[in-house]
Amino acid sequence: METTPRNPARRRMLAGSASALAAAGLGAAGIARASDAPAKPGATPAATPATPAAKPLPPYAAWKDADSVIVHSANTIETRRSAFGDGVITPSRQLYVRNNLPPPDAAILNDRDAWKVEIEGVKQPRTFTVGELKTLGMETLATVLQCSGNGRGFFPHKPSGTPWEVGAAGCVMWTGVPVRTLVEHLGGLAGTPAFMTGTGGEVLPEGLDPKSLLVERSVPREAMQDALLAWEMNGEPLSLAHGGPLRLIVPGYTGVNNVKYIKRLAFTAEQSPAKIQQTGYRLTPMNAKPSPDQPSVWAMEPKSWINAPGANGQPVKAGRVVVRGVAFGGMHAVKRVDVSIDGGKTWKQAALIGPDLGKYAWRQFALPVELSAGQHMLVSRVEDTEGNVQVENRFENAPGYINSSWRDHGLAINVS
């Protein structure tokens, strides 16, 4: 069984972020259990439905915190809304998991530095081991990692696929070699390729067309400027669950473009012929079939949501509380976040708190408010530094991708 070691430095960062909350006078307000509604005289108590048994964590992710996640399937694990906490970095044990194919055998981690990746579409193409990549350069970068389908559970037409709500996202630190450094080392690009294409190292079933299953994604060439080939996440060797021993990180782009177990990085004139690129992860209109001429799911949009108080049915007591959550700009830094406690009728600017880890990371926000007893709809809305504001309503599409709606992501709470 793979385990992930504790990292004292990371714990200090998480604790420091929470301390910033308290120092700013924005410490978590107390909460109390709401009283049960009295039963009507003579009424027959309703039977309490049996709670379905939680699915177990798959062996490759058995080190995850089972109380902090929802296991949808062996390849889809969601962070609970109440488990994001007050730190800017999402702990690895609580970070979501999404695999398009089962991960390779854990034996690939036995000698991490021996993993090989081919670099093509450059003037001096060659194959590197991870150990060799480590001699070329290194950067550490914080990014939001978000599944393309995060928020799918809010689409009324119930698209096929995992019904993620807010938990297929996290903010993590990656360490690796910048792709631009690698390209420079190899003499630059060969010609003017339009795309950067990453190929995953999952084992494909025999007897099927490889293109139908291959995890291979192409993104615009410009994405290479901030991309990494990463071997560490949150200060620890990259786990199998998150793409170890080597993963392509494309900041600002949805999770599927951050190819796990990368074995080939190529600069190409055309997008990958793999199904996952040609017809998968396309913004397909309702009642239409996916096709290559539809927009590909690439860059993320400005998005925010509230995680407290009251997430996952936690009780909230009337009085002063701190509304808090996370916000990111996708391709640009966060400028401001506004919060509403009445479903968007009135807004007040929240404070951005904690460390600013760069434009691709998310920011924590907090706003002290007074909540009266009753029902409240808490919503947030982010604006990035380019003036792009989080959309009110989702863009309807058949697969349920890129839901950035502030209205959909509202948190309904009952205050007692």
Side-chain angles (χ1 to χ4, degrees):
M1 178 186 300
E2 183 190 1
T3 59
T4 248
R6 302 293 185 270
N7 185 318
R10 187 193 70 197
R11 288 201 299 269
R12 287 193 294 271
M13 174 182 287
L14 299 176
S17 187
S19 298
L21 256 168
L26 298 171
I31 55 177
R33 179 178 297 278
S35 59
D36 295 330
K40 296 180 179 179
T44 302
T48 301
T51 302
K55 295 179 182 178
L57 286 160
Y60 73 90
W63 51 271
K64 293 280 183 180
D65 180 1
D67 293 333
S68 296
V69 298
I70 302 165
V71 180
H72 293 287
S73 73
N75 288 316
T76 52
I77 303 170
E78 180 171 6
T79 307
R80 293 185 183 276
R81 193 169 194 158
S82 57
F84 279 107
D86 293 325
V88 65
I89 294 298
T90 307
S92 301
R93 295 178 71 237
Q94 295 165 215
L95 183 64
Y96 85 100
V97 175
R98 168 66 170 113
N99 292 319
N100 280 285
L101 289 174
D105 192 282
I108 66 173
L109 302 182
N110 291 344
D111 187 355
R112 293 170 174 272
D113 282 356
W115 180 265
K116 295 180 179 180
V117 57
E118 300 175 41
I119 311 299
E120 301 176 3
V122 292
K123 292 180 180 178
Q124 302 166 28
R126 60 162 288 187
T127 298
F128 287 90
T129 64
V130 171
E132 291 170 332
L133 290 176
K134 291 178 178 179
T135 70
L136 300 181
M138 186 176 73
E139 283 187 7
T140 295
L141 182 68
T143 76
V144 172
L145 184 69
Q146 179 182 225
C147 179
S148 308
N150 198 30
R152 179 184 287 128
F154 301 125
F155 280 81
H157 71 282
K158 306 298 181 186
S160 62
T162 303
W164 310 104
E165 292 192 355
V166 301
C171 184
V172 292
M173 301 282 289
W174 307 100
T175 297
V177 62
V179 171
R180 65 180 184 278
T181 299
L182 183 59
V183 169
E184 290 169 4
H185 179 77
L186 296 175
L189 297 176
T192 54
F195 300 99
M196 178 175 70
T197 299
T199 307
E202 294 91 345
V203 177
L204 303 180
E206 296 182 0
L208 297 175
D209 180 1
K211 292 180 182 178
S212 68
L213 292 172
L214 183 68
V215 179
E216 184 173 82
R217 289 287 294 175
S218 300
V219 297
R221 181 191 65 213
E222 293 74 20
M224 67 169 273
Q225 294 302 322
D226 291 329
L228 294 178
L229 289 178
W231 52 76
E232 277 194 4
M233 186 184 83
N234 287 354
E236 300 165 349
L238 193 53
S239 67
L240 190 72
H242 295 296
L246 192 68
R247 183 170 186 174
L248 174 64
I249 302 303
V250 188
Y253 284 65
T254 64
V256 70
N257 301 291
N258 294 253
V259 177
K260 296 180 175 182
Y261 327 111
I262 187 165
K263 67 177 184 180
R264 173 179 172 264
L265 181 67
F267 295 90
T268 57
E270 303 293 338
Q271 296 183 39
S272 167
K275 179 180 178 181
I276 198 172
Q277 180 76 35
Q278 291 295 308
T279 56
Y281 292 88
R282 297 281 171 173
L283 291 174
T284 303
M286 302 295 292
N287 302 314
K289 293 183 178 181
S291 72
D293 61 354
Q294 296 159 357
S296 190
V297 176
W298 281 335
M300 295 185 288
E301 300 176 344
K303 185 172 180 179
S304 69
W305 63 83
I306 290 165
N307 290 320
N312 298 123
Q314 294 178 334
V316 183
K317 186 177 180 180
R320 182 181 172 90
V321 301
V322 178
V323 175
R324 52 200 190 273
V326 295
F328 54 96
M331 300 299 292
H332 306 288
V334 170
K335 178 181 178 181
R336 63 178 287 164
V337 178
D338 294 306
V339 166
S340 172
I341 61 173
D342 55 15
K345 295 177 183 177
T346 61
W347 297 87
K348 187 174 181 180
Q349 186 172 352
L352 299 178
I353 62 170
D356 182 350
L357 299 180
K359 70 177 184 178
Y360 295 119
W362 66 29
R363 296 300 307 272
Q364 305 154 270
F365 63 86
L367 178 68
V369 300
E370 292 286 336
L371 290 181
S372 58
Q375 295 184 337
H376 296 267
M377 175 60 75
L378 311 180
V379 294
S380 60
R381 183 180 64 193
V382 62
E383 179 183 350
D384 71 18
T385 52
E386 298 297 309
N388 302 303
V389 179
Q390 182 177 0
V391 297
E392 177 179 356
N393 299 307
R394 78 189 85 84
F395 171 71
E396 300 291 351
N397 63 94
Y401 290 137
I402 311 289
N403 186 353
S404 302
S405 160
W406 61 254
R407 190 170 292 283
D408 277 358
H409 289 76
L411 178 59
I413 63 171
N414 289 308
V415 179
S416 60

